Amino acid sequence: MLSSVQNPRILLLHCRWSKPLHHHRHYPKAIHAAAQAQAVSTSLPTSQIQIIQKSIHSREKTARQFAEEFLNRLRLTEPHVKSFLHVSETVLNEADEIDRKIDQNEDVGPLAGVLVAVKDNICTADMPSTAGSKILENYRPPFDATAVKKLKESGAIIVGKTNLDEFGMGSTTEGSAYQVTSNPWNLECVPGGSSGGSAAAVSARQCVVSLGSDTGGSVRQPASFCGVVGLKPTYGRVSRYGLVAYASSLDVIGCFGSSVADAGILLQSVCGHDKLDATSSKREVIDFTSQFLAKDYLESQPLKGLRVGVIRETLGDGVDQEVVLSIRGAISHMEELGCTVTEVSLPSFSLGLPAYYVLASSESSSNLSRYDGVRYGNQIVSDELSSLYGGSRANGLGPEVKRRILMGTYALSAGYYDAYYKRAQQVRTVVQKSFKAALDEHDILISPAAPSAAYKIGEKKNDPLAMYAGDIMTVNVNLAGLPALVLPCGFVQNGLPVGVQMIGGAFDEEKLLRVGHIFEQTLQGCSFIPPLIADEFKC
């Protein structure tokens, strides 16, 4: 059960839904049957990366067999989920090469045979990188992002590029210029954003793990909506070289996995100093994988003495009560594990959202000025330079991108700089200090990852302010540059998952991964396999 102090009725609410999810689309028979299944398995999350590594090295299963398994699932589910903008044609050839190296006892790397999806705002030399925008349609970079390069050096197979809100500006993945991604838990709901494609791909088990980017919660909110693990590292932990810039002082490449161990192993492979990124940290990278002990090796209270602070402002007005209920259940579970849990107030918490949107929009107005049809981006035919600039941007950029460019340009204008941009930077300093003070007294802080579970596609598309308000739980972490881990902890009544957010001190990913892994391995009674593929994973 979730907790010995939890009401059985509440347990039922959290670990199953009262009625099947109905989708008003036509599915192949296998998908339709899976969509009606109740995912109530009590199996614990296991590291798919470790399973693959063990299997291919023992010759129990080949890398090609694993690749075919994931590709078959991708082909079955992709017409309905629409996670990918591009799927690689060389996956099986790369898997065969890994099998050949293993047969010849050659080194293949810690991610050999692991299929990794990459958000389409992260550059890949052998695949398009559009950032979800028409202005970069068919653009193929001449280089790999540092994170992608490290993945390939570790033996990973890049399965494809995932959908996103254009240039990472959005919270639903409806802002893509190409397609709308659906949530594998309910195809009528959004997967979150802007890394919704990466989250949905892991949730639907179309890949093993995936990379996303997080500027204001774009890894963590989709992780909560899709019932997967999302890890936002400390700013500077992972090189941003090759990440299409949105807001450079906030952008971070993050990790998705179906387990905490997988997210941690992925981070281990991509982090570290990079001379091509002046903001990447030179801090030594420790071995995160040493934190992932099996449940049988844990003590009765493995988190005894851990000081946990629950952010008071995140459980009040504006937060869905079923989300609050799930977070309260997670808190009770952490107390059972030995944590000392207290409430902590961050009075500046509500100020983070407006400060974030001023700063992020200001930086985006500068970063996106390069997409003018001359330096970067597709261009229209025009006899005059000014109309070429204006026409190329008007045709190539979507409405949300234009909105944020206009807001940022306004905030940076001479008459309003002090009133908006300077004031927002001052608020950012206040937010950083409030987090530091709270983390001086606590080992980690806890909050929901989003004020609600996933909502219907189209519900907030025409209400940008309501969409912006959904980022209230996550943007402060980016302003402070801190690491945060989101992992599923329960369900709301309609069967959609809820994620708890754990926030740590700067470069304290090791502690977050340890706590998250123990929490995950001891949380019984819930399975976070979406109904879309539940039949395949029944125990």
Side-chain angles (χ1 to χ4, degrees):
M1 56 184 179
L2 263 175
S3 167
S4 59
V5 299
Q6 191 135 356
N7 187 305
R9 184 186 66 80
I10 296 175
L11 177 65
L12 182 68
L13 172 69
H14 280 261
C15 295
R16 63 180 295 176
W17 42 85
S18 57
K19 56 185 179 181
L21 301 177
H22 297 287
H23 308 302
H24 306 291
R25 304 183 191 179
H26 176 71
Y27 302 111
K29 184 176 178 181
I31 289 187
H32 183 75
Q36 303 300 321
Q38 290 186 341
V40 292
S41 162
T42 58
S43 60
L44 296 173
T46 54
S47 169
Q48 294 301 306
I49 294 177
Q50 292 175 341
I51 289 172
I52 290 171
Q53 290 295 292
K54 180 180 178 182
S55 297
I56 65 174
H57 284 287
S58 66
R59 310 311 202 266
E60 178 184 341
K61 204 170 178 180
T62 65
R64 184 184 180 91
Q65 288 174 316
F66 277 112
E68 289 176 336
E69 177 184 316
F70 279 95
L71 286 176
N72 288 338
R73 194 180 301 119
L74 190 155
R75 292 188 188 103
L76 180 66
T77 58
E78 180 59 16
H80 313 289
V81 179
K82 298 181 180 177
S83 302
F84 285 87
L85 294 178
H86 181 84
V87 177
S88 172
E89 298 177 351
T90 64
V91 171
L92 294 180
N93 290 337
E94 292 178 52
D96 288 339
E97 178 63 15
I98 290 169
D99 290 331
R100 184 195 65 77
K101 288 183 177 180
I102 291 174
D103 288 341
Q104 296 183 4
N105 294 318
E106 296 180 26
D107 181 35
V108 290
L111 293 182
V114 174
L115 269 64
V116 183
V118 176
K119 188 176 179 180
D120 202 36
N121 63 345
I122 301 173
C123 289
T124 47
D126 50 356
M127 281 181 264
S129 300
T130 70
S133 178
K134 286 292 185 183
I135 204 165
L136 287 177
E137 189 172 14
N138 298 320
Y139 172 65
R140 287 180 179 256
F143 65 96
D144 283 325
T146 296
V148 172
K149 181 182 177 183
K150 288 187 174 185
L151 287 176
K152 291 180 178 180
E153 290 171 349
S154 297
I157 300 172
I158 308 301
V159 65
K161 304 299 290 294
T162 56
N163 197 25
L164 70 155
D165 290 293
E166 187 176 3
F167 285 105
M169 300 181 189
S171 304
T172 64
T173 314
E174 295 170 288
S176 169
Y178 299 99
Q179 62 190 27
V180 175
T181 298
S182 294
N183 191 318
W185 288 86
N186 184 334
L187 298 178
E188 296 178 353
C189 291
V190 300
S194 62
S195 305
S198 291
V202 172
S203 180
R205 306 308 192 263
Q206 297 175 325
C207 60
V208 182
V209 289
S210 65
L211 289 183
S213 66
D214 192 309
T215 305
S218 291
V219 164
R220 291 160 289 150
Q221 182 246 34
S224 178
F225 280 12
C226 291
V228 297
V229 176
L231 175 59
K232 174 214 170 290
T234 306
Y235 184 81
R237 174 69 89 178
V238 179
S239 170
R240 291 186 298 110
Y241 181 73
L243 172 65
V244 176
Y246 163 19
S248 302
S249 72
L250 302 165
D251 294 339
V252 175
I253 290 177
C255 307
F256 290 100
S258 57
S259 67
V260 173
D262 282 346
I265 294 169
L266 182 60
L267 176 63
Q268 185 81 54
S269 296
V270 300
C271 66
H273 177 65
D274 177 20
K275 64 181 181 180
L276 298 175
D277 176 11
T279 63
S280 71
S281 172
K282 294 182 179 180
R283 185 180 292 246
E284 182 181 356
V285 178
I286 60 173
D287 181 10
F288 299 130
T289 61
S290 62
Q291 306 300 313
F292 306 134
L293 297 177
K295 182 185 176 184
D296 294 342
Y297 294 95
L298 298 177
E299 301 172 357
S300 59
Q301 287 192 318
L303 297 180
K304 187 174 183 179
L306 187 81
R307 301 168 301 166
V308 176
V310 180
I311 303 175
R312 181 184 305 157
E313 289 78 7
T314 64
L315 297 177
D317 294 341
V319 184
D320 188 280
Q321 285 306 301
E322 291 184 69
V323 171
V324 173
L325 192 63
S326 289
I327 301 303
R328 296 288 185 199
I331 292 168
S332 296
H333 183 60
M334 296 196 76
E335 288 177 327
E336 283 189 334
L337 295 174
C339 299
T340 301
V341 181
T342 57
E343 213 173 59
V344 58
S345 177
L346 298 179
S348 64
F349 197 85
S350 63
L351 302 177
L353 189 67
Y356 164 81
Y357 273 101
V358 169
L359 295 174
S361 298
S362 298
E363 293 188 32
S364 71
S365 74
S366 174
N367 279 327
L368 270 64
S369 64
R370 70 193 70 175
Y371 302 107
D372 53 18
V374 176
R375 289 173 291 178
Y376 287 95
N378 299 319
Q379 64 176 231
I380 64 165
V381 177
S382 176
D383 294 330
E384 295 184 1
L385 185 61
S386 59
S387 59
L388 185 149
Y389 284 158
S392 298
R393 288 168 71 80
N395 290 348
L397 300 176
E400 182 59 32
V401 174
K402 292 174 184 175
R403 183 181 295 117
R404 298 196 192 194
I405 289 173
L406 288 171
M407 288 194 298
T409 303
Y410 180 82
L412 290 173
S413 60
Y416 299 97
Y417 180 90
D418 287 350
Y420 293 105
Y421 185 78
K422 183 178 179 181
R423 183 73 59 87
Q425 288 286 23
Q426 291 169 337
V427 170
R428 183 177 193 170
T429 300
V430 172
V431 168
Q432 291 170 340
K433 289 181 177 179
S434 66
F435 268 105
K436 185 179 185 306
L439 287 165
D440 283 344
E441 301 294 328
H442 302 85
D443 295 303
I444 65 169
L445 303 176
I446 279 183
S447 77
S452 70
Y455 40 85
K456 291 292 181 71
I457 291 172
E459 185 175 325
K460 298 184 180 181
K461 186 176 182 180
N462 297 319
D463 189 355
L465 291 180
M467 195 178 295
Y468 297 167
D471 295 335
I472 183 68
M473 301 297 174
T474 53
V475 294
N476 286 275
V477 177
N478 294 82
L479 291 173
L482 300 176
L485 177 71
V486 167
L487 62 159
C489 66
F491 298 96
V492 295
Q493 194 163 10
N494 63 5
L496 293 171
V498 174
V500 59
Q501 177 175 226
M502 301 179 182
I503 305 166
F507 298 99
D508 215 356
E509 289 87 356
E510 178 187 21
K511 183 184 294 179
L512 287 177
L513 291 167
R514 172 177 167 267
V515 173
H517 177 72
I518 292 172
F519 178 95
E520 173 188 76
Q521 292 298 303
T522 54
L523 183 68
Q524 299 183 23
C526 291
S527 175
F528 295 96
I529 305 291
L532 186 68
I533 56 170
D535 280 355
E536 185 179 350
F537 289 87
K538 274 185 177 178
C539 294

